[in-house]
Amino acid sequence: MITGDRPDQTPTIHPLYRDGASRTVADSRLREIESSLDDSAAHDDLRIKIAALRRDFSLRTDPTRTIIDFPTFRQRLEDLTRQERLANQDPDVNVGPGY
């Protein structure tokens, strides 16, 4: 669904999934994200958000159905992957104007 798994790449929506995806495919993507998480507090927050996505979009109920309100799901998934990247950034790296 989302490509760009290297840290220096911005995730983008795979063209196949611009308009929808099955609940199975979406749940699989969430499992991929979960497998990359460690035991940090920042990743605990991501796990909670992943659980909310599964619940809010009924991903484990009738898995062959497509996701209802896919645009909202896609936006929340993009927000989740963006938050994951931010959590993995080195806070000691000076970025921005004047650095």
Side-chain angles (χ1 to χ4, degrees), residues 24-76:
T24 299
V25 169
D27 193 43
S28 175
R29 178 60 178 143
L30 294 177
R31 283 194 309 271
E32 288 174 23
I33 293 169
E34 284 175 318
S35 71
S36 70
L37 303 179
D38 60 26
D39 289 332
S40 69
H43 287 175
D44 288 345
D45 184 49
L46 288 170
R47 283 185 188 87
I48 291 168
K49 290 182 179 185
I50 288 171
L53 275 171
R54 281 192 176 111
R55 181 187 62 246
D56 295 348
F57 292 94
S58 305
L59 298 185
R60 297 214 167 143
T61 304
D62 200 3
T64 58
R65 291 191 58 198
T66 58
I67 297 171
I68 297 171
D69 194 11
F70 183 74
T72 300
F73 174 82
R74 186 178 64 199
Q75 182 60 53
R76 287 180 57 188

